Amino acid sequence: MGDVKVLIGNEAFDAQTHGGVTRCFCELMRRMPSSVETQVGVLTTENVYLRQMGVPSLDERLAQMPLYSPSLRKLFYKIYKRGVGIRCHQPFAGKRTSPNAIYNCYLVGRQDYDVYHPTFFDQRFLRHIGRKPFVLTVHDMIVELFRDKYVRSDNQQIVDKAALIPLASHIVAVSECTKRDLMDLFHVPEERITVIYHGSDEQPTTFGLQSPIDAPYLLYVGQRYENKQFDRFVEGSADFLRAHPEVKVVCTSVGFNKEELALLDRLHLKDRFVHRFVADDSELMSLYHHALAFVYPSLYEGFGIPILEAYQAACPVMLNHASCFPEIAGDAAIYFHLDGEHSDLTESLTQMYAMTADERKTLIDKQRERLSRFSWQRSAEQLAEVYLRFRP
């Protein structure tokens, strides 16, 4: 038994099969010291990180249950699949009720814990928590800062976040940048916020000798909506790409939409941008490792986990000089400016492409040193210190 018992909510695990939020919670739970005992409010999951920690899938859970009637088993399966948010286009936006949500609310109501930690913004637990404290993690303030850019389904996140932040017993922010935004937008007192950085994978990473792309390439990772500035990245890199016809740009995540294809067509770059579906982490690491550089043009991020992924893969990092990026990367990156008024991306890409082998090695050495500052173990110990404030 630990000194403090923590109930971790189901919210994000019902919405993600994989992804940054759920990976973060699982990495931290795995490394909790013996003074902290954790329980997750999840009966069954399709989340890959929880599965690795031994939480059963739906089929595995059904096999354990005494549901001898095939029709009853089929009904339970249908109810579960309809309830979870994994199939939703906007995974955190809905208010679907799943067996996990019911189970989690039951555990919250039992109050057999010292502190509750929801994994995303959902007010339903408030009806059951009574006077028990809860800790809230805020990864970023993107929706609040860019609310006019987001679809209406995100409005519920704004409502839930605004309701939970003032009530939280303590808030974890993933960067000083996010902490400042919390203080500015919600007037949260500084003493109620603890900054805990994300960590990096401590396992050694190996890469294939063969590049997965048959051309020199820049790498763009992740989503391409609003604050990510993909359209400005395309426009800002156009002159560089025209000057260097051998270079391509590889983009992960979903395929290009019609607006993106129209933009590439208008700039005569359609054959220079390649979409690559990434099946697993090893393929992603290989893409990083063999790239000329990883380019992150986003206008705002709460932390920027891909920076650490690129560091780990010994890939030169190029960052927009914005939001938390200088805080996270320090001098271990090539910076450019990309906003509505100014862009020097072409100059920065040209500088990167002209680097000698020694200059490239110097940058990668700086990145390796910077990476050593981000540890999941250290982050878990810092979170444990927050939890231990609520020991009985």
Side-chain angles (χ1 to χ4, degrees), residues 351-376:
Q351 172 195 343
M352 177 278 302
Y353 201 45
M355 284 195 305
T356 65
D358 285 345
E359 289 171 334
R360 187 179 177 95
K361 180 180 182 300
T362 297
L363 176 60
I364 289 173
D365 286 344
K366 284 184 179 180
Q367 293 181 176
R368 186 178 298 111
E369 188 281 327
R370 190 77 183 179
L371 180 65
S372 67
R373 305 184 186 196
F374 300 94
S375 159
W376 283 121

Side-chain angles (χ1 to χ4, degrees), residues 160-173:
D160 287 345
K161 188 188 287 188
L164 293 176
I165 285 173
L167 298 175
S169 306
H170 200 77
I171 295 174
V172 172

Side-chain angles (χ1 to χ4, degrees), residues 103-130:
Y103 175 63
N104 186 69
C105 284
Y106 162 72
L107 293 177
V108 173
R110 274 185 64 192
Q111 302 201 352
D112 185 24
Y113 55 89
D114 300 309
V115 60
Y116 178 62
H117 196 159
T119 49
F120 212 72
F121 309 109
D122 188 331
Q123 296 183 61
R124 282 178 288 189
F125 74 87
L126 293 176
R127 297 195 296 267
H128 310 278
I129 197 167

Side-chain angles (χ1 to χ4, degrees), residues 4-20:
V4 62
K5 296 175 67 174
V6 183
L7 175 61
I8 307 292
N10 73 296
E11 298 86 1
F13 294 111
D14 264 6
Q16 289 186 336
T17 56
H18 59 282

Side-chain angles (χ1 to χ4, degrees), residues 148-181:
D148 60 320
K149 305 290 187 182
Y150 283 82
V151 294
R152 289 187 62 188
S153 59
D154 275 320
N155 291 347
Q156 189 60 51
Q157 181 188 143
I158 294 175
V159 171
D160 287 345
K161 188 188 287 188
L164 293 176
I165 285 173
L167 298 175
S169 306
H170 200 77
I171 295 174
V172 172
V174 299
S175 65
E176 293 289 344
C177 177
T178 300
K179 175 182 173 179
R180 288 193 300 271
D181 291 336

